[in-house]
Amino acid sequence: MPKKKKLKRQRRLPLVVGAGFFLGIFIFYVFSLNYKIHAKFESHRWNLPSRVYSDSFSLYPGQTLTPQQLEKRLERLHYKRVTGEAHGVGEFVQEAHEFQVYLHDFSYPSEEFVGFPVRITFQDRTIGELQRMDHAETLKRIKLEPELIASIFDEKMEDRTLVSLSEVPPTLIKGVVALEDERFYEHKGVDPRALVRALLTDVIHFRYMQGGSTLTQQLVKNYFLHSRKTLLRKMNEILMALLLERQYSKNEILEAYFNEIYFGQRGPVSVTGIQEASTLYFSKNVSQLTVGEAALLAGMIRSPGEYSPLNNLERAYDRRNFVLKTMLEQDKLTEPEYQAARQEKIVTPKHFEEAHRAAFFVDYVQQELKRQYPPEVLQSEGIKIFTPLDMDAQEAAEQAVSSRLKALEAGRGLLKEQAAHGKLLEGLLLAIQPQSGFIRAFVGGRDFVRSQFDRIVDAHRQPGSTFKPFVYLTALQVGAEAKEGEERWTLVSPIEDKAFSVPGPNGVWSPQNYDKQEHGTVTLRQALENSYNLATSKLAQQVGLDTIVTTARKLGIESPLEAYPAIALGIFEVTPLELIRAYSVFPNQGIRSEPVAITSVVTREGMVLERKGIKMNRAISPDLAYLMNEALRGVVDRGTGAVARTLGYTGLAAGKTGTTSDYRDSWFVGYTPDLLALSWVGYDDGTTTGLSGSSGALPIWVDFMKQTNPPGASRVDFPATENIVLEKIAKSGGGLYRDSCGEPFEEVFLRGTEPTEYCTHENE
Amino acid sequence: MKMNNKIVGVLFLSVLMSCAPGAKPKHPKPGSESHLPPVLSPIDLETPERTAANQVIAEGRVQLEQGNYARASDLFQEAVTLDPTNGAGYYYLAAAKAQLGETGESTGLLEKAEQLLASDPAWQVQLDELKLKLTEHQPSPRD
């Protein structure tokens, strides 16, 4: 007997050992799953994309703005067009001369703005009145929130904004529970009843139809596992759901579920989480959803593409009504609530193709942030980056560059031929507000997808004649500081536009004019307006090449410069960014503004990490800036920039064209008192284009300015100073004008430098 | 030490706020001769932009008085963006920046303010005072 028992025991032993072994493995496996849950759920749950925003947009009575411009901006901000009255957040009503807009909430770096309804009336092309509709209060100003320019994603490309469960409306929670997991609050992560029901359905239909997954299982599947249907995944899903429920409360699980769930695609980007879905489909915060909207979102979870109101409105209505009916049947809605929700219209905002918006600018912003915020931080921490970009100006700039380059290639043989061989002309446009340095438009190339090379920041090109104003500024400065017996340079000082040679670093240097002609004795103004190379080079020799380098440095040119004779004609390469910074001193009355691409960096919780405000310092006197403004105005009115007038730009403007040797670069830097813009056209490899500054770059500038700074938009002139005097000068020979001296013209002078003697050339 | 700085800062601001002219001061036009170019004086502008910017400046001054320097700075920056020739905007922005410890930026802004406001004797006094205070006190960054 004992022998038999022993034998039995011996037979059982392998089984026991085997079972123990497998039990051990199972326990180890469960522990490893538990560790996985703990590690991932307790730490950084999701990578949140950082977001880059444009500037906000102020509206105020008297502002020049058309209803069309406002409409466009509201649509870009995803306001929803409705009829009757704007009752809900993010809605707008447009009538002939009136808008009703229910402003969105927005978290500014130092302000939590809560939206309210406002009535905006128009009088012709200006805003007449702003009225707060809920308080019957007349307002002096309102702000439209900044536009989202881009999100910086990790490789998963998931757009997500986290919400807490307290922000999710109870109706939405009830709707999701009613539809996805009726017994959510009763089970422990897995619902055996639902599993059996699903299994039966699958067997009856002889194919996989239902998974019987609880919300917890869905969360586990989406968050920890994958969507492939395998037995192992299902087993892991069940085990992990049970483990998750042991450690976390129902509310924690539900909150994670609402933040994790997938709600469809926006181009290459996955829309995930309930907040992102609310924004995409209804242009509002999740807490602001109506019962009907909440029901539709709850219904979309099963199949976001199929039930999306953006794809098929009718199907979306059916789905929403089905959810509402289910909720009514489960006593999660009262009959009146159900009836009211069924009556709601589904209104979605207009959506645009948003890929690569202001792509060069966004890239530049990332480069600027790189040192303090590496890419992995930007892709995961949900940082908000505020910029001064004006999206209207940006769109106008992109359009101007694109359409003018196309037109040039279509109309010019040489360029057409190059394009036919796949070599496309490049262009750029950069615009800043000169007083603040705020970058308003930034187009670093023709097509970001084709070439990501940022020509604004990284291209070093010869500036050609756009450098000349620095020579004339130097002369005027030397003139202002001249002592007794020294040359007191003014805009009417004579200079020889005649061929000459000087020793240069590579031998003798002999400049030439663009038209290969000499123009004799001309005034400084004439030489600058007509961009005479001979006169400018001669002037540079006379005022001193070192002094010109010093002036350029003061204005912010940081690229290498040498005191060579040809410096006057812009042979030393600079970047467009430093060139525009240097020009900012003219409209900004002698004060140099640093270009600003980022105004604030804020954490997702709203803590300001840094502010990058206006930075300025004096470079030249306001008197000299005024003289230069007047001279550069002449370039646009009469000189090489007069094409701007031919092309129909009639507003106050000053600027300078630039063309480099062999027509490699075509430049224009021009400004009004409010806006400074630089445009360039050329090939990246320096191939000749056959384009001068006025035929290549200037038309881009004109197109842009017509849109963003139309005539009359600048309400101020370039302000003069008390040290400026205006004198009537004899056109022929100079000197103060008197009746017998032929034609007069008016010229501006620094007080004390104006001519004191009358003209000597008498009328015949 | 920090507390002392705060007290000095608040006192300094209350002096500024009580003495500084409003955002739209009344003053005689700068001396002009008949042959000078017909240009507008930036102080005297009565444009929609100026009206809107003055409203923002008024909001900013309230924040400045309450010690919310960051918020005030944002508002003044908004005002000068809206109306880039608003000298008062630059003046108050410089004052807010000084309180935030951004004295470098403050000095540049004060220069711009001076350029736009110097023709007004009342403003000139305030500008000089702020300049002096800036050199006397170097407030520590806060808010």
Side-chain angles (χ1 to χ4, degrees), chain A residues 649-701:
Chain A
Y649 188 70
T650 55
L652 165 68
K656 185 71 191 81
T657 52
T659 314
T660 57
S661 306
D662 301 326
Y663 300 94
R664 289 196 184 102
D665 305 272
S666 163
W667 293 90
F668 187 71
V669 192
Y671 54 90
T672 69
D674 300 328
L675 194 62
L676 165 62
L678 174 154
S679 53
W680 169 89
V681 174
Y683 287 109
D684 284 337
D685 64 1
T687 305
T688 182
T689 63
L691 297 167
S692 66
S694 61
S695 60
L698 183 52
I700 293 176
W701 184 91

Side-chain angles (χ1 to χ4, degrees), chain A residues 377-549:
Chain A
V377 171
L378 290 178
Q379 290 164 7
S380 63
E381 294 300 325
I383 288 169
K384 289 179 176 177
I385 302 137
F386 290 90
T387 76
L389 201 75
D390 174 346
M391 287 310 287
D392 274 349
Q394 179 66 21
E395 283 195 353
E398 286 172 5
Q399 175 64 25
V401 171
S402 160
S403 63
R404 282 293 176 180
L405 292 181
K406 271 184 205 153
L408 284 168
E409 282 174 341
R412 288 178 173 250
L414 178 70
L415 306 177
K416 203 175 189 172
E417 203 178 304
Q418 296 278 27
H421 289 95
K423 186 168 177 172
L424 295 182
L425 200 55
E426 273 299 343
L428 68 85
L429 191 140
L430 172 63
I432 66 169
Q433 186 182 44
Q435 293 84 1
S436 58
F438 282 1
I439 293 176
R440 297 310 221 175
F442 188 107
V443 182
R446 184 174 186 166
D447 179 2
F448 187 79
V449 177
R450 199 174 61 87
S451 159
Q452 290 86 50
F453 179 58
D454 181 356
R455 290 152 195 86
I456 290 173
V457 182
D458 299 324
H460 289 78
R461 313 282 304 206
Q462 288 188 353
S465 299
T466 56
F467 192 86
K468 283 178 183 163
F470 311 145
V471 177
Y472 290 83
L473 171 64
T474 309
L476 293 172
Q477 178 138 30
V478 168
E481 293 162 1
K483 297 187 185 96
E484 196 67 30
E486 291 176 346
E487 183 70 60
R488 297 180 77 81
W489 295 103
T490 70
L491 290 174
V492 297
S493 297
I495 188 87
E496 293 290 303
D497 189 61
K498 282 184 186 162
F500 71 99
S501 298
V502 285
N506 303 315
V508 174
W509 182 67
S510 308
Q512 266 195 333
N513 270 332
Y514 179 77
D515 60 3
K516 308 278 192 290
Q517 305 288 312
E518 296 177 3
H519 304 93
T521 305
V522 295
T523 63
L524 258 54
R525 175 186 280 281
Q526 285 167 332
L528 179 59
E529 285 182 358
N530 297 296
S531 202
Y532 293 149
N533 289 342
L534 294 173
T536 307
S537 305
K538 179 67 90 182
L539 180 66
Q541 292 291 316
Q542 295 191 23
V543 298
L545 302 175
D546 285 324
T547 325
I548 293 168
V549 172

Side-chain angles (χ1 to χ4, degrees), chain A residues 110 141 588-589 715 724, chain B residues 36 49 74 78 112 115:
Chain A
S110 59
R141 177 191 67 108
N588 198 23
Q589 294 164 280
R715 300 190 199 263
I724 299 293
Chain B
L36 273 175
E49 287 72 27
D74 283 352
E78 198 178 317
K112 182 72 186 170
Q115 185 174 60

Side-chain angles (χ1 to χ4, degrees), chain A residues 60-61 110-111 140-141 143 433 435 440 588-589 611 615-616 618 626 715-716 722 724 726 751, chain B residues 30 33 35-37 45 48-49 55-56 59 71 74 77-78 81 84 90 105 108 111-112 115:
Chain A
Y60 45 90
S110 59
E111 181 196 9
K140 287 186 180 166
R141 177 191 67 108
K143 262 196 311 190
Q433 186 182 44
Q435 293 84 1
R440 297 310 221 175
N588 198 23
Q589 294 164 280
R611 283 190 154 74
K615 268 189 190 162
M616 49 173 69
R618 178 161 299 289
Y626 182 77
R715 300 190 199 263
V716 288
E722 288 177 357
I724 299 293
L726 185 72
R751 195 182 293 278
Chain B
E33 293 173 29
H35 61 281
L36 273 175
L45 277 179
E49 287 72 27
Q55 162 81 13
V56 184
E59 286 171 32
R71 174 83 189 115
D74 283 352
Q77 188 152 292
E78 198 178 317
T81 314
Y90 291 102
E105 290 182 21
E111 216 166 334
K112 182 72 186 170
Q115 185 174 60

Side-chain angles (χ1 to χ4, degrees), chain A residues 222-526:
Chain A
N222 294 330
Y223 189 68
F224 298 101
L225 304 171
H226 52 80
S227 53
R228 288 191 302 278
K229 286 168 187 163
T230 64
L231 193 63
L232 180 65
R233 196 217 69 195
K234 195 70 187 172
M235 196 183 86
N236 282 337
E237 183 187 300
I238 291 171
L239 280 173
M240 288 173 94
L242 292 169
L243 290 167
L244 196 69
E245 290 250 2
R246 272 179 63 84
Q247 292 173 64
Y248 297 96
S249 70
K250 289 281 181 188
N251 278 354
E252 282 174 299
I253 290 168
L254 209 49
E255 184 175 291
Y257 178 85
F258 276 117
N259 282 314
E260 169 62 33
I261 203 77
Y262 171 75
F263 271 102
Q265 286 294 127
R266 197 181 55 226
V269 175
S270 301
V271 176
T272 46
I274 195 70
Q275 176 55 58
E276 218 44 54
S278 304
T279 309
L280 174 71
Y281 296 110
F282 301 113
S283 188
K284 54 171 70 168
N285 289 334
V286 64
S287 59
Q288 296 162 334
L289 292 173
T290 63
V291 174
E293 289 164 345
L296 177 55
L297 288 182
M300 282 174 64
I301 292 171
R302 187 64 58 86
S303 181
E306 190 181 349
Y307 301 124
S308 164
L310 303 178
N311 297 342
N312 189 329
L313 198 55
E314 207 178 316
R315 212 180 286 156
Y317 270 112
D318 289 347
R319 183 65 178 167
R320 182 199 67 180
N321 293 343
F322 168 75
V323 177
L324 290 172
K325 186 86 181 153
T326 309
M327 290 174 76
L328 179 72
E329 284 166 3
Q330 291 183 17
D331 291 330
K332 283 170 177 153
L333 277 185
T334 62
E335 182 65 31
E337 282 172 334
Y338 168 73
Q339 290 302 343
R342 266 188 76 98
Q343 297 308 312
E344 280 181 34
K345 278 183 79 175
I346 298 175
V347 186
T348 54
K350 198 170 173 178
H351 283 276
F352 305 92
E353 179 57 55
E354 286 180 355
H356 306 294
R357 279 181 103 193
F360 284 102
F361 179 71
V362 173
D363 190 51
Y364 176 53
V365 164
Q366 287 189 69
Q367 296 301 322
E368 287 275 283
L369 291 171
K370 214 169 165 180
R371 204 167 296 166
Q372 277 162 289
Y373 312 94
E376 56 273 21
V377 171
L378 290 178
Q379 290 164 7
S380 63
E381 294 300 325
I383 288 169
K384 289 179 176 177
I385 302 137
F386 290 90
T387 76
L389 201 75
D390 174 346
M391 287 310 287
D392 274 349
Q394 179 66 21
E395 283 195 353
E398 286 172 5
Q399 175 64 25
V401 171
S402 160
S403 63
R404 282 293 176 180
L405 292 181
K406 271 184 205 153
L408 284 168
E409 282 174 341
R412 288 178 173 250
L414 178 70
L415 306 177
K416 203 175 189 172
E417 203 178 304
Q418 296 278 27
H421 289 95
K423 186 168 177 172
L424 295 182
L425 200 55
E426 273 299 343
L428 68 85
L429 191 140
L430 172 63
I432 66 169
Q433 186 182 44
Q435 293 84 1
S436 58
F438 282 1
I439 293 176
R440 297 310 221 175
F442 188 107
V443 182
R446 184 174 186 166
D447 179 2
F448 187 79
V449 177
R450 199 174 61 87
S451 159
Q452 290 86 50
F453 179 58
D454 181 356
R455 290 152 195 86
I456 290 173
V457 182
D458 299 324
H460 289 78
R461 313 282 304 206
Q462 288 188 353
S465 299
T466 56
F467 192 86
K468 283 178 183 163
F470 311 145
V471 177
Y472 290 83
L473 171 64
T474 309
L476 293 172
Q477 178 138 30
V478 168
E481 293 162 1
K483 297 187 185 96
E484 196 67 30
E486 291 176 346
E487 183 70 60
R488 297 180 77 81
W489 295 103
T490 70
L491 290 174
V492 297
S493 297
I495 188 87
E496 293 290 303
D497 189 61
K498 282 184 186 162
F500 71 99
S501 298
V502 285
N506 303 315
V508 174
W509 182 67
S510 308
Q512 266 195 333
N513 270 332
Y514 179 77
D515 60 3
K516 308 278 192 290
Q517 305 288 312
E518 296 177 3
H519 304 93
T521 305
V522 295
T523 63
L524 258 54
R525 175 186 280 281
Q526 285 167 332

